[in-house]
C-alpha cells in the first residue's frame, strides 16, 4: 500500500447525487438527447480497496483484521460527490492512499471533515472552467487511477488555476 501525504486538499462545498441519479446529456455514440450515467468507479474495486485499507489500518494498530465483507448481508450504495475549492483550500488537509486498484482518501483535517469529505472517498475527476481569458478549460479524469497519476492531475490543476488566475477547482468524488 502506498501513502501520499504531501498533497493536502480542502473541500469547500459539497453536493451529493445518488448513484442511481441520471444526468441528462448525450449518450456516447448516440445522437444526443439521451441519458448519461454518473461517473462511478467499479463497485467491486471500490469495496476491495476499502477492505484492503481497513485491513492495513488494523495491522498498523496491532488489531485483528476485520473479516472480508459478506456482500449477501450488506447493501453497498455509491454516490457521486462534487466539491469546489480555491487553490488556497487545496493545500490544507487531504491525505491519499493507494489501496488495491484505487486511490482513496485516507485522512482529512478537521476542516475538510467538517466540509463533508470523509476517508474512503475516491477522486474521479478534476476540472477548472475557463482561464483568465474565459476560453481554456482543465478537465482530467482520475477514475481508477493510481496514486502517482492522481497526484499529478491535482498538481496540474493547481498549476493551471494559478497561471490562469482562476479560483474555482472542481473535484468529483465517489463515496
Amino acid at each position: 500500500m502506498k501513502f501520499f501525504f504531501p498533497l493536502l486538499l480542502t473541500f469547500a462545498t459539497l453536493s451529493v447525487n445518488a448513484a442511481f441519479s441520471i444526468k441528462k446529456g448525450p449518450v456516447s455514440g448516440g445522437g444526443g438527447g439521451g441519458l448519461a450515467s454518473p461517473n462511478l468507479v467499479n463497485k467491486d474495486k471500490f469495496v476491495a480497496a476499502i477492505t484492503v485499507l481497513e485491513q492495513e489500518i488494523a495491522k498498523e494498530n496491532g488489531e485483528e483484521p476485520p473479516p472480508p465483507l459478506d456482500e449477501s448481508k450488506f447493501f453497498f450504495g455509491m454516490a457521486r460527490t462534487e466539491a469546489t475549492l480555491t487553490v488556497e483550500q487545496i493545500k490544507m488537509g487531504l491525505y491519499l492512499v493507494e489501496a488495491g486498484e484505487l486511490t482513496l482518501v485516507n485522512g482529512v483535517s478537521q476542516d475538510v471533515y467538517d466540509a463533508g469529505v470523509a476517508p474512503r472517498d475516491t477522486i474521479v475527476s478534476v476540472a477548472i472552467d475557463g482561464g483568465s481569458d474565459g476560453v481554456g478549460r482543465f478537465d482530467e479524469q482520475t477514475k481508477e487511477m493510481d496514486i502517482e497519476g492522481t497526484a499529478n492531475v491535482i498538481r496540474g490543476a493547481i498549476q493551471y488555476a494559478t497561471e490562469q488566475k482562476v479560483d474555482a477547482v472542481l473535484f468529483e468524488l465517489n463515496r
Side-chain angles (χ1 to χ4, degrees):
M1 177 164 19
K2 297 180 191 174
F3 290 92
F4 184 77
F5 294 104
L7 252 186
L8 301 174
L9 306 173
T10 302
F11 295 85
T13 60
L14 290 173
S15 65
V16 176
N17 299 310
F20 49 82
S21 69
I22 298 174
K23 299 188 300 185
K24 291 187 177 188
V27 176
S28 61
L35 299 174
S37 62
N39 190 13
L40 298 174
V41 296
N42 177 284
K43 179 189 79 111
D44 294 331
K45 287 182 181 180
F46 193 65
V47 171
I50 290 171
T51 301
V52 167
L53 182 60
E54 288 176 347
Q55 289 174 347
E56 290 297 320
I57 290 170
K59 286 179 191 175
E60 287 179 18
N61 292 334
E63 301 169 355
E64 190 69 29
L69 296 174
D70 180 358
E71 290 191 46
S72 67
K73 296 180 181 179
F74 299 97
F75 171 77
F76 291 97
M78 293 180 62
R80 179 185 158 275
T81 303
E82 291 181 348
T84 302
L85 319 110
T86 66
V87 171
E88 289 179 27
Q89 292 171 317
I90 291 172
K91 299 176 181 177
M92 296 181 62
L94 176 75
Y95 297 92
L96 303 176
V97 63
E98 192 169 75
E101 296 183 45
L102 294 178
T103 300
L104 299 176
V105 174
N106 186 40
V108 293
S109 68
Q110 187 62 48
D111 288 345
V112 172
Y113 184 81
D114 290 344
V117 176
R120 300 185 183 107
D121 286 349
T122 184
I123 301 168
V124 295
S125 72
V126 181
I128 302 169
D129 284 328
S132 55
D133 58 4
V135 177
R137 176 167 171 79
F138 182 95
D139 191 357
E140 294 288 331
Q141 295 292 311
T142 58
K143 181 178 174 180
E144 300 181 9
M145 193 177 277
D146 66 12
I147 196 164
E148 288 88 7
T150 301
N152 285 334
V153 168
I154 294 169
R155 283 188 201 104
I158 291 169
Q159 181 179 352
Y160 179 86
T162 302
E163 290 170 357
Q164 297 296 315
K165 298 180 177 129
V166 176
D167 287 333
V169 180
L170 179 67
F171 286 81
E172 183 180 357
L173 305 104
N174 286 176
R175 172 172 297 160

